[in-house]
Amino acid sequence: MRKRTRTGVLIVAVTVGCAVLGGCHADENDPKGLAEELADPVRREWAIGHLQRIFGQRLGEAKGNREAAPIVEFNEVTHQHLTKVYIEHPEDSSNGYRIVQLMSEMRDPRTLPALLEALKWRTEVSENHAIAAAKTLRQIEIPDEKRAAVVEAVAGSLSRVDGKRGADNRMRKAFIEALGDLGDQRATKVLIEVATRQDEAQNFLFNLLAARQLARLRDPAAIEPMIRALYLFAPNNPAMRMNDAASSVLVAIGRPALAPLLELLKGNNKAANKIAAQYIAAIRERDPNAAATMDAGAIVGYEATFTLGKLGYREAMDALLAETKVKHEGRRNAAAIALVSLNRSDADTAKVVGAIKR
């Protein structure tokens, strides 16, 4: 009887001690208890460290299978606390980044509110948060009803990037690739802005990267900008051009691009003609002799012809046959090569052979 009483006193003493000292702490192998301790700024670093360790161990034991029961159980008991603490404690940037890293490994759509919050990057504070969040968005299954908000958030983050620091370039890459992987045409506008920007603060490689994402979206809204982009070039290096990337976008879009390209071949796109002339002027500043051999009409014709050939529609046959009869030899040769790629009948083949012989 006395022994039982002493045990009861001990239990009461421990309970009172936990209450007085602020509560007993979670076991370091208990993900639920650790997640609950994230709210404590003193315990947060310790808790997130053990949560990362536990998840890594479980994922390894599951051989990377995120559908395994231990992974599902971990996500179930932690996602809500991780999301809440990240959103409510932006001042803790260091542990916030570790939380985003863990959510990136979890790939749980229920952490989406925190990932969207992470996209609101602050200069010299949370750029890495935004990069990690963008990469995570490429890997999780986003509910259809939330897709518009996600696209808008990523596009907004990308629009804010206007420098050329290493962090700026890492963010550009992450945001552009995320928009491509989301596969939503609501991203077309911002990707066009990046693809057509001529600014020395933005490396021209990002123009090309944005164009590759536009090719994945196949949005007819990109046709006119990409026709102009056939002639765009890097401001500090006109040898770097958008022609191949822009052509790939137009080919991916397909038939809607046919009529505008035929008008381009006729020389009726004033904006394209102007950019081609600007391209020659940029070359002239660096190599007057090379520029002296260039012709704006020929440059416009080359790209239109090349892209029409890649499209392959028979409706371009007459226009390309006419192009094989112009005075400029290079344009004639380019048109003859493009003709070979068109869908055609046996009767058409005879015309193509005749053009090639000429």
Side-chain angles (χ1 to χ4, degrees):
M1 183 69 178
R2 181 176 298 177
K3 181 178 180 181
R4 195 180 309 170
T5 302
R6 287 179 178 175
T7 302
V9 171
L10 181 60
I11 292 172
V12 171
V14 171
T15 303
V16 172
C18 286
V20 171
L21 296 174
C24 293
H25 296 305
D27 184 89
E28 62 183 29
N29 293 306
D30 172 21
K32 183 177 184 299
L34 291 167
E36 292 170 351
E37 292 216 1
L38 290 171
D40 184 347
V42 176
R43 303 285 292 175
R44 188 173 300 142
E45 183 176 356
W46 178 85
I48 188 63
H50 284 298
L51 285 170
Q52 288 176 312
R53 173 184 57 79
I54 293 170
F55 186 88
Q57 288 176 345
R58 292 191 179 189
L59 187 62
E61 291 167 358
K63 297 182 179 179
N65 178 17
R66 287 178 169 78
E67 302 299 321
I71 301 299
V72 173
E73 186 267 341
F74 181 96
N75 288 9
E76 187 65 37
V77 300
T78 63
H79 77 272
Q80 188 172 2
H81 294 287
L82 288 165
T83 300
K84 185 174 187 292
V85 169
Y86 184 83
I87 293 174
E88 293 183 355
H89 295 281
E91 76 285 352
D92 191 352
S93 177
S94 177
N95 285 315
Y97 180 50
R98 298 175 73 189
I99 288 174
V100 176
Q101 287 180 308
L102 178 55
M103 291 190 294
S104 181
E105 289 295 326
M106 292 165 61
R107 302 182 188 179
D108 192 320
R110 292 172 293 185
T111 65
L112 189 57
L115 296 174
L116 295 182
E117 188 67 23
L119 289 173
K120 301 173 183 177
W121 58 274
R122 292 171 288 161
T123 305
E124 302 292 347
V125 176
S126 60
E127 292 98 331
N128 285 335
H129 296 220
I131 294 168
K135 291 179 179 179
T136 306
L137 291 171
R138 299 173 61 189
Q139 299 172 319
I140 65 176
E141 192 68 33
I142 298 172
D144 290 341
E145 68 274 13
K146 297 181 180 180
R147 188 168 293 273
V150 172
V151 172
E152 182 180 355
V154 178
S157 297
L158 177 57
S159 296
R160 291 176 53 214
V161 183
D162 59 5
K164 53 183 179 181
R165 302 171 302 152
D168 293 318
N169 290 334
R170 290 193 298 275
M171 285 193 292
R172 280 192 182 95
K173 183 177 186 295
F175 299 154
I176 291 170
E177 290 178 338
L179 290 173
D181 277 349
L182 287 169
D184 193 303
Q185 291 184 347
R186 281 169 285 207
T188 297
K189 181 179 178 181
V190 70
L191 288 173
I192 288 173
E193 291 172 358
V194 176
T196 58
R197 182 175 299 148
Q198 287 186 293
D199 183 349
E200 292 189 5
Q202 176 180 290
N203 190 302
F204 200 69
L205 292 175
F206 291 112
N207 296 62
L208 303 176
L209 181 61
R212 286 202 291 272
Q213 312 316 310
L214 285 169
R216 298 174 67 183
L217 299 185
R218 301 182 180 183
D219 188 346
I223 291 174
E224 283 301 326
M226 287 301 100
I227 282 180
R228 296 192 298 272
L230 288 169
Y231 310 99
L232 287 179
F233 53 92
N236 56 356
N237 181 12
M240 288 187 68
R241 299 179 60 198
M242 278 284 289
N243 51 347
D244 287 342
S247 180
S248 295
V249 178
L250 295 168
V251 172
I253 293 170
R255 185 168 290 278
L258 177 61
L261 282 166
L262 290 173
E263 288 299 306
L264 177 68
L265 184 60
K266 294 176 184 177
N268 293 337
N269 191 309
K270 294 181 180 180
N273 296 339
K274 181 178 179 180
I275 298 171
Q278 291 171 343
Y279 169 65
I280 294 174
I283 294 294
R284 186 177 296 113
E285 291 181 3
R286 292 162 174 77
D287 189 343
N289 293 330
T293 65
M294 300 172 74
D295 176 81
I299 291 173
V300 170
Y302 286 151
E303 303 305 338
T305 295
F306 176 74
T307 306
L308 285 167
K310 287 177 67 177
L311 272 175
Y313 292 117
R314 185 180 180 280
E315 291 91 328
M317 179 74 66
D318 290 342
L320 292 177
L321 284 171
E323 187 74 2
T324 64
K325 300 175 183 178
V326 299
K327 292 183 179 180
H328 195 282
E329 181 181 0
R331 290 178 63 176
R332 294 199 305 271
N333 293 339
I337 293 171
L339 281 166
V340 176
S341 301
L342 299 185
N343 291 319
R344 58 187 183 275
S345 66
D346 291 340
D348 294 329
T349 298
K351 297 177 183 178
V352 172
V353 172
I356 293 173
K357 287 182 176 179
R358 283 199 304 274

